[in-house]
Amino acid sequence: MVPPAGARHYTISSVAGKHGDIWSWSLPDGQTAYRMSMTLRGWVTETDEVIGFGPDKRPTRVAVRGFTDSGDATENFSVDAAGIAHWKTAVDEGSAPFAGKRYNSYGGPWLAGEADIAAFVAAGEKGIDLLPQGHASISIGKAVTIDGPSGPKTVKLAFVQGLGFAPTPMWLDDQNRFFGFAGVISLLPEGYEAAGPKLKDIQDEATAAMVRDVAHRFLSPDNRTPTLIDHVLLFDSVGGRYLPDQAVLIADGKVAAVAKGGSLKAPAGTTVIDGRGKTLSPGLWDAHRHIGGDDWNLLQNVATGMTNYRSPGSMIDESLSIFKRRAAGDLLAPDGKVSVIVDRKDPLAAQGALTVTSAEEAIAAVRKIKAAGMWGVKFYTSMNPAWIAPAAAEAHKLGLHVHGHIPAGMRPLEAVRAGYDEITHINFIMMQAMPQEVVDKANTAARLEGPAKYGKDVDLDSPEMKTFYAELAQRKTIIDPTLTVWEPLMTSDGSALSPEYSPFADVAPPAVTRGWKIAGYPLFGGLTRDDFRKSFAKMIGVVGRLHRAGVPIVAGTDGYGLELVRELELYQQAGLTNPEALQTATIVPARMTGMADRTGSIAVGKTADIILVNGDVSKTIGALRQVHTVFLDGYRLDGDALRKASGLSGMPK
C-alpha cells in the first residue's frame, strides 16, 4: 500500500539510528489503513493492514498482508451476520462467538494496536476478554513533558497487563490515546525520536520499583537459613558425571558440605529437603542472554533455573543499573558478565551498539568499555574487517574478552586470526564454507539466507572443514552456537509450536504462546522448507564435529532464556553426551568468564548457585525444566512461587 500525502507517520528507531516507518490513514470506505516497512540489521518486515470497525468501535474486519523475518504475515479476521468471529493466520485458524470480546491480532504493523489501547482505557480496571484467548487491561501512571516538533507535549506512562509475561510499558497522550512505546527499539511519532531515551529511562525506573518489591519478598532472611538436600542425584560438572545418593549442606550463602546421603547432620534451624527422585545441578548459565530493558525477564530466568549469564551485548548504563540493583537486593536476577557491541556507523548497525567510523574510534570504544567495568567486546557484522585486529589487540591488552558476529567480507577463521576469542552463532561458523557473495553481504539477511541455501550441500567432513575445526581447537576458540535461534526460523511451517517453546505452551499467557508459533523464515529462490531443514541439520552436525575436535562449546539462547534446555537437547542430537551437554551450561561458561572459582560447580566454599529439579536429569536432560528449588547466592527460592511471580502459571512439561 502507498500512504497518501499527510498520512500519520511514526518512525522505528534506536540510538543507532532509524530502522523503519509506519504510516496510518483513513480509506474512502471508512476503514483504517496501516503500512509498516522496517529493516533491522538486515531482517526485513513489509506489512500492510486494513481494519474495519463496527458500531461499537470493535474491529469486525482485519486484513494483514506481507511478510516478516518470521514468515508470511497474511491474516484475516471477520465477523459474520450471526455474530461468529472467524480468524485465519499463517499459524492458526478458528471461530468463536464474538460476544463482548475483542480480537487480538497475531501480527501486522505495530501501530495498528492503537485501537486496542483505546478500548483498554475505556474498559478501565475490568479489562477486556480477548479472542482467540486471554484477557487484557491497562493502568495509567505518571505524566511527563517531552519536547517535540511543535513544542512541549504531555505524555503518560501506562502498563498493559495480559499480553505478555509481565506488564508492558507504553505511552499515552494527554487524551489517553496511544502515543508510542520506547525501548532499545522505539515507535514514536515522526519528530519525537529524540525523546525515546528519556521515555525509556522513566519507564525503566517505574519497572524497577515493581520488581524491587518482588525481590525483597524473595530475598528475605527466612530464605537464607541453612538447607540440607539429602539423598539426591548430584551432577558433578567438573568430572562430567552424576553421583547418586549425595547430601549437600548450604549455609551462609555457600556450599558448606558435600557427602554421601544420610551422612550429614543438619544444624538447628536447617530446612531439610528430601532429594530422592530429584537432581541437584549447578545453576544454569545462558551464555547468550542480552540483559537490559526487561527486569521481569531476569526474574523469569531465575524461575527457570538460570543463576548466571553472559550477555553478548548490552548497553553500559543498563548493565551498571542491573549490577547495582542486584547487589543491593533490589533486583532478583542471575549474576554474570557483560560485553558491549561495537559496530561501524551504518544503517545496518546493531541497535544499542557503540558505533564507530575508524580504527581509532574502534580502539576508543574498546577503552570506554573497559573504563565502564565491562567484561568483553563484541564486534558486529558491519565492522570494517581492517579495524578488527587493532581493536582486538587493544581489548586483549586491557584484559577484555573478544567475540562477536563475523563482519561482512570476513570468514570466521580470518576473524579468529585477527583476535576473536569466540565466535557467536552457528551461522557464522557456516560462513567458512559459504560462497564469497554470501560472505560479502553477511551484514544483511544473507547471514541466514546463505547458510539456509547452501548449508545442506556443505561436506562437513571435507579436508577444508576438518582443517578449520582443528585450527579453532588449537587456538581454543570458543563457539556460542545458539541453535535455538535458527531452529524455528528454518524448520517451522506454522503447523506446530517449535520444541523450545512447546513445554511452556500451557503455562504461558495465551498471547505469548500464540506469538511463539511462526510460519518460518520466508522461502526464496525455489527452496523448500525441507531444504531449510536439511541445512539446519548440517548446523547441528557442525556443533558435534567442533566438539569432537576439542573446540569449547558454550550454551546460549539469544532469546527469553526459556530456550536453554532445548539448546542442550540439540547438543545431544549433535553427539554430545548428556553430561557434556550440561557442562556447556555450567562449568564451561563459568571458566570462560573467569567465575569458576565461585560458581559453575557444586563444591565446598563455592557460592550456592544451584538448582534442584524433579526427575533424573541423567536419563532425560529435559527434566531441567522441572525446577523445584533455586538457590541463588544461597537464598532458597521456591520454584512455584518464582514461576507465579514471573508470569508462568505452572510447571512446564
Side-chain angles (χ1 to χ4, degrees):
M1 301 176 72
V2 179
R8 293 169 59 222
H9 183 200
Y10 275 61
T11 63
I12 301 164
S13 64
S14 75
V15 294
K18 179 182 169 183
H19 305 291
D21 303 89
I22 303 181
W23 295 268
S24 174
W25 65 98
S26 295
L27 296 174
D29 61 3
Q31 297 187 101
T32 302
Y34 295 90
R35 167 80 179 129
M36 177 174 176
S37 179
M38 178 178 69
T39 300
L40 190 62
R41 296 173 293 119
W43 306 124
V44 178
T45 292
E46 297 285 354
T47 55
D48 299 326
E49 181 167 350
V50 174
I51 305 177
F53 295 90
D56 60 0
K57 297 183 180 181
R58 284 187 298 165
T60 55
R61 178 183 179 274
V62 176
V64 181
R65 300 291 182 269
F67 62 89
T68 74
D69 61 333
S70 296
D72 180 12
T74 299
E75 180 173 5
N76 292 290
F77 170 80
S78 62
V79 180
D80 64 24
I84 302 300
H86 305 269
W87 61 90
K88 184 174 182 179
T89 73
V91 301
D92 65 0
E93 61 180 306
S95 60
F98 197 32
K101 298 182 179 181
R102 189 178 187 92
Y103 178 64
N104 182 33
S105 182
Y106 168 77
W110 299 343
L111 183 57
E114 61 183 343
D116 296 333
I117 301 304
F120 298 156
V121 170
E125 293 183 0
K126 66 180 181 180
I128 295 175
D129 289 332
L130 303 174
L131 290 174
Q133 295 182 73
H135 183 88
S137 62
I138 194 168
S139 58
I140 303 173
K142 65 183 294 185
V144 301
T145 301
I146 58 174
D147 293 324
S150 301
K153 185 173 183 64
T154 298
V155 293
K156 302 175 184 178
L157 177 60
F159 286 90
V160 175
Q161 292 84 25
L163 298 184
F165 285 113
T168 303
M170 61 185 54
W171 291 88
L172 309 180
D173 66 13
D174 56 358
Q175 301 299 310
N176 289 339
R177 296 169 300 196
F178 177 79
F179 178 75
F181 60 75
V184 175
I185 298 290
S186 296
L187 174 68
L188 294 167
E190 182 183 23
Y192 286 92
E193 294 86 353
K198 176 181 178 179
L199 296 178
K200 180 182 182 301
D201 287 345
I202 294 169
Q203 69 191 34
D204 285 353
E205 183 180 346
T207 298
M210 295 183 210
V211 298
R212 185 184 306 127
D213 294 338
V214 176
H216 290 176
R217 189 168 76 245
F218 280 98
L219 302 178
S220 68
D222 289 345
N223 286 341
R224 213 167 190 257
T225 56
T227 306
L228 174 64
I229 306 102
D230 208 356
H231 301 295
V232 72
L233 177 68
L234 184 148
F235 177 60
D236 171 11
S237 62
V238 175
R241 56 183 180 165
Y242 290 89
L243 304 176
D245 195 25
Q246 298 292 295
V248 175
L249 178 65
I250 295 169
D252 299 321
K254 297 185 181 296
V255 177
V258 180
K260 287 295 295 179
S263 66
L264 293 179
K265 183 178 180 181
T270 297
T271 295
V272 179
I273 300 176
D274 185 353
R276 280 173 282 211
K278 298 179 178 66
T279 305
L280 196 68
S281 168
L284 301 180
W285 279 76
D286 188 333
H288 201 123
R289 171 72 182 90
H290 291 278
I291 65 163
D294 193 343
D295 290 344
W296 293 105
N297 196 186
L298 292 170
L299 168 60
Q300 187 178 86
N301 293 154
V302 176
T304 53
M306 188 192 306
T307 61
N308 299 92
Y309 63 83
R310 188 280 305 273
S311 173
S314 293
M315 292 190 285
I316 290 172
D317 57 342
E318 289 190 343
S319 301
L320 293 176
S321 171
I322 287 171
F323 297 160
K324 181 180 179 180
R325 290 183 291 129
R326 186 184 188 278
D330 292 334
L331 176 65
L332 191 60
D335 187 20
K337 299 291 186 180
V338 169
S339 297
V340 177
I341 298 174
V342 177
D343 204 0
R344 180 169 59 93
K345 190 173 181 60
D346 185 89
L348 296 173
Q351 66 269 23
L354 299 179
T355 54
V356 299
T357 61
S358 66
E360 291 74 22
E361 288 187 9
I363 291 170
V366 167
R367 291 171 179 162
K368 179 178 181 178
I369 292 166
K370 175 63 177 180
M374 300 296 108
W375 170 80
V377 177
K378 180 182 180 182
F379 296 121
Y380 218 74
T381 44
S382 288
M383 280 289 284
N384 184 329
W387 303 344
I388 297 299
E394 183 67 15
H396 287 148
K397 176 183 173 183
L398 297 174
L400 296 173
H401 183 81
V402 176
H403 62 129
H405 293 200
I406 307 302
M410 292 186 95
R411 294 183 187 272
L413 207 50
E414 293 172 319
V416 169
R417 290 169 180 168
Y420 273 38
D421 301 307
E422 175 192 1
I423 298 172
T424 299
H425 298 306
I426 196 64
N427 59 308
F428 286 114
I429 287 290
M430 296 295 289
M431 282 291 168
Q432 190 67 28
M434 291 296 103
Q436 190 62 41
E437 61 266 24
V438 174
V439 173
D440 289 341
K441 295 181 179 179
N443 60 336
T444 71
R447 64 183 179 270
L448 171 60
E449 292 181 359
K453 179 178 181 179
Y454 298 106
K456 59 185 173 53
D457 301 317
V458 174
D459 180 359
L460 301 182
D461 296 312
S462 68
E464 295 80 7
M465 291 300 283
K466 287 183 176 179
T467 299
F468 173 47
Y469 309 146
E471 183 165 345
L472 294 179
Q474 185 269 326
R475 292 176 176 273
K476 297 182 173 57
T477 305
I478 301 163
I479 305 300
D480 165 25
T482 66
L483 288 172
T484 53
V485 171
W486 313 114
E487 182 176 32
L489 289 174
M490 297 181 71
T491 68
S492 295
D493 59 10
S495 62
L497 202 57
S498 191
E500 52 260 71
Y501 298 123
S502 56
F504 299 91
D506 295 335
V507 296
V512 173
T513 298
R514 191 184 187 209
W516 281 336
K517 291 186 70 174
I518 64 172
Y521 192 85
L523 300 174
F524 59 91
L527 295 168
T528 66
R529 188 61 60 190
D530 188 55
D531 290 330
F532 277 29
R533 290 172 179 148
K534 289 177 180 176
S535 291
F536 180 68
K538 288 294 181 76
M539 290 181 171
I540 296 175
V542 168
V543 172
R545 284 161 175 80
L546 289 167
H547 174 72
R548 289 192 290 276
V551 178
I553 307 293
V554 291
T557 67
D558 199 11
Y560 290 89
L562 296 175
E563 308 88 347
L564 184 58
V565 177
R566 176 59 181 170
E567 186 78 11
L568 305 186
E569 292 172 339
L570 289 170
Y571 293 171
Q572 286 189 277
Q573 289 186 27
L576 279 70
T577 65
N578 175 303
E580 288 171 341
L582 189 45
Q583 284 176 315
T584 71
T586 51
I587 192 62
V588 177
R591 288 170 174 162
M592 176 183 74
T593 56
M595 293 175 65
D597 61 331
R598 56 191 175 95
T599 188
S601 63
I602 300 173
V604 173
K606 283 197 170 186
T607 300
D609 289 337
I610 297 170
I611 59 171
L612 179 67
V613 301
N614 294 332
D616 187 337
V617 175
S618 72
K619 295 179 179 176
T620 307
I621 207 164
L624 288 166
R625 298 186 182 96
Q626 308 287 305
V627 175
H628 179 279
T629 307
V630 176
F631 296 91
L632 184 70
D633 298 328
Y635 285 94
R636 181 181 59 253
L637 310 177
D638 177 72
D640 288 334
L642 284 170
R643 280 184 286 274
K644 183 177 180 180
S646 71
L648 292 166
S649 63
M651 182 82 80
K653 294 180 179 177

